[in-house]
Amino acid sequence: MNTTIETIQLTPRPEVARSRSPKPPVGVLDLNLEELRAWCREHDEPEYRATQIWKGLYTDLRADVGEISTLPAALRTRVADDLPMPRIEPLRSWKADGGATHKVLFQLHDGKAVESVLMRYEDGRATVCVSSQAGCAMGCVFCATGLGGFDRNLSAGEILAQILYFARDLKREGRRLTNIVYMGMGEPLANPRAVWRSIENLHEPAGMHFSPRRITVSTVGIVPQILRFAEADLPVNLAISLHAPDDELRGAMMPVNHRWPIRELMDAAREYTERSGRRISFEYALIAGSNSSIEHARALADLLRGMLCHVNLIPLNKVPGSPLEPPSPEAVRAFQDTLLAAGIPCTVRLERGADILAACGQLRIEHAQSG
Ligand code: SAH
Ligand code: SF4
């Protein structure tokens, strides 16, 4: 496999590392188009300037308002001062799969770091995996992000800036972003306002007009937010990280299960499919000697029977320092066959670039240790 590791910059800039403000200032990417129009009115600018700014950032993919040549210079300066772009600076980047997989560790304005991944496919698709929080408070035992602890929620602008960064890369290659998955660091439904704002801004017709059907949000299982999700206007896909078919095992792997056990989670999932008419995805990371026996597969099939769903089986990505291992390929196959025989649609998802990229969250830990 053609693997290259390209280091852009290893140490945080001192002025960034010293800033400890928990939240970035509200910036242009945090606003929706209506709010940007209101800002223009308040600053005695014609409203069409808001559309020009929006198009510059989301359609022409300018990295900065200063690069939007249709705007008067004074307005560019005013927006940059009043509504700054979020600071997300690529610190390090890793490429794998011959460059098709590109993972970047970004440093935020307060020195915190998040990871995002771009995956290019031969059929033309290009998917960005985006972080919604710096760290995660959910503490799943198999997850590098969970083991690294929680720093803070990201703003909508910081989420969007990760996506726009890769959209710009693709544009330079004459390609387009086709899918977005909220499966990077953090629990998206623990930061629902910023996550929804980012989705609305992606969908705004004056800009990217990105289809919600090409967006997937993955949750650890925050039940009240799943129910709100069912009522949302935009038909975004929902993935639920299940990982175990019974409360004892799931509780040992995922502390969130003590708050919302499997029965409540499945009730919410069923309500979601009934209200929205949309299929739900269940993520199931297979761990050797833990949740991956044929009995587990049968119990999982019993749990999901009759539901409008699909199961994504993910052989565990090894986390350094953790004793957990993925099962053998034969055991993965047997698990899948058992589900398929029971009529549960499922596929095995192989992590791309797993050789160097590993599970999300690891790069941040390395960064924190080296910093
Ligand atoms: N917090 C959300 C989304 C981010 S994690 C969630 O938990 O769903 C994205 C997916 O990666 C989740 O399904 C998560 O359980 C899974 N995951 C985390 N660590 C993993 C590992 N070491 N190997 C395989 N999958 C992992
Ligand atoms: Fe957080 Fe998801 Fe990792 Fe669990 S799997 S610790 S919810 S990022």
Side-chain angles (χ1 to χ4, degrees), residues 141-163:
V141 297
F142 48 85
C143 172
T145 305
L147 295 174
F150 177 68
D151 283 330
R152 66 168 171 86
N153 279 335
L154 298 193
S155 66
E158 287 171 325
I159 296 172
L160 286 162
Q162 298 167 60
I163 297 165

Side-chain angles (χ1 to χ4, degrees), residues 54-117:
W54 199 274
K55 185 171 172 297
L57 295 174
Y58 291 99
T59 310
D60 303 336
L61 300 174
R62 302 284 177 236
D64 199 88
V65 176
E67 296 173 17
I68 306 176
S69 53
T70 46
L71 300 178
L75 177 57
R76 284 184 238 172
T77 312
R78 197 162 198 185
V79 178
D81 289 348
D82 232 46
L83 298 171
M85 292 290 276
R87 288 185 58 175
I88 67 153
E89 297 180 18
L91 264 186
R92 297 177 75 182
S93 86
W94 288 256
K95 286 184 177 168
D97 305 326
T101 306
H102 185 192
K103 185 162 190 164
V104 177
L105 179 73
F106 291 106
Q107 180 167 266
L108 309 174
H109 79 110
D110 55 354
K112 305 296 183 205
V114 294
E115 300 165 18
S116 332
V117 189

